[in-house]
Amino acid sequence: SQTIHQWPATLVQPVGSPLSLECTVEGTSNPNLYWYRQAAGRGLQLLFYSVGIGQISSEVPQNLSASRPQDRQFILSSKKLLLSDSGFYLCAWSILGQLQETQYFGPGTRLLVL
Amino acid sequence: DAKTTQPPSMDCAEGRAANLPCNHSTISGNEYVYWYRQIHSQGPQYIIHGLKNNETNEMASLIITEDRKSSTLILPHATLRDTAVYYCIVGDINDYKLSFGAGTTVTVRA
C-alpha cells in the first residue's frame, strides 16, 4: 500500500531563517506531487505541483521554492522565512496519468514563524 | 474564482444521515465532482467522486443532479468522528490540480 511521510510534524523558526520541509511517498512510482499551505482558519492553497523529477510548476508567486530531486521526494524550501509563511503545510500525491485526480495527503507540517 | 458553493456550516445528529449540498452551476463536461474532508489538524481525506452517475462507497454516497449543476454528499449514519470540514471540488480530468474552497464545517452532535 502507498504511504506518504512528511517531516517535521511541527517547526518553530525565526523570521529570516531558512526552511526545508521534506515529503516522501512509498509504494508507488511516478506520482504527481503537490505542496499546499493552509493558513489558520483558511482553506488550502496550492503552492507547487510536480509531474516528474525536476519538473516544478508554481501556482502563486511567493517566498518559497520546491524541488523534486528523486521520483518520490518533494522538498519545500525558503532562503528567508517571513511571518506570513506560518501555516499548515501539506504534501499530497496522485497517480500520474490517471484522469481522475484523487489526491492523498500526508499528515502535514505545522510551521510557526516568529 | 470558486467553482462550487457550499453552506459554511451545518449540524447533524449522531446516527442520522447528513446531507451536504454543493452547487456547481458552471461545471463543464470534462469536470468531475470530488468530495474531501479534513478533520481538525489532519490532512484532507478523499471521500468520493463522480461524473454524472450517482456513486456509493464505504464512506458515503454522491448524488449528482441530471443537469450536473448541483450534488449532495450523503453520510448515511453520521458519527462523532465525522465532524470535519467537507470540501466539494470540481476538477477537470485534463488538469492536475484541485482547488479547495472554504468547505462546509459539519458538526455531529450526540
Side-chain angles (χ1 to χ4, degrees), chain A residues 1-106:
Chain A
S1 64
Q2 300 88 2
T3 55
I4 179 169
H5 303 280
Q6 284 186 248
W7 62 90
T10 305
L11 190 60
V12 180
Q13 291 285 99
V15 168
S17 65
L19 174 74
S20 180
L21 302 181
E22 188 163 343
C23 170
T24 59
V25 181
E26 295 178 359
T28 187
S29 297
N30 303 316
N32 295 325
L33 294 172
Y34 309 81
W35 277 111
Y36 289 84
R37 176 173 60 202
Q38 188 171 35
R42 307 283 295 276
L44 276 75
Q45 179 186 35
L46 179 63
L47 302 176
F48 301 95
Y49 69 94
S50 170
V51 300
I53 296 174
Q55 300 179 58
I56 309 294
S57 296
S58 175
E59 285 298 294
V60 293
Q62 59 204 306
N63 184 41
L64 302 168
S65 62
S67 62
R68 184 170 176 175
Q70 300 180 41
D71 180 45
R72 289 169 290 178
Q73 184 185 30
F74 206 22
I75 297 172
L76 184 70
S77 304
S78 173
K79 293 182 179 178
K80 287 186 178 182
L81 284 169
L82 307 173
L83 289 174
S84 57
D85 291 325
S86 293
F88 189 37
Y89 287 84
L90 290 153
C91 180
W93 72 274
S94 65
I95 297 175
L96 182 68
Q98 283 229 342
L99 298 181
Q100 295 161 356
E101 201 54 50
T102 302
Q103 295 184 17
Y104 302 93
F105 286 79

Side-chain angles (χ1 to χ4, degrees), chain B residues 85-103:
Chain B
V85 179
Y86 286 77
Y87 298 99
C88 171
I89 301 164
V90 166
D92 192 322
I93 59 171
N94 294 313
D95 201 351
Y96 294 103
K97 300 171 287 184
L98 294 174
S99 297
F100 287 77

Side-chain angles (χ1 to χ4, degrees), chain B residues 5 11 14 18 22 36 40-41 51 53 55 57 67 75 82 85-86 89 94 100 107:
Chain B
T5 304
D11 285 0
E14 187 179 22
C22 180
Y36 284 75
H40 183 62
S41 296
L51 183 62
N53 296 323
E55 302 288 344
N57 63 20
D67 63 7
L75 307 177
D82 291 323
V85 179
Y86 286 77
I89 301 164
N94 294 313
F100 287 77
T107 303

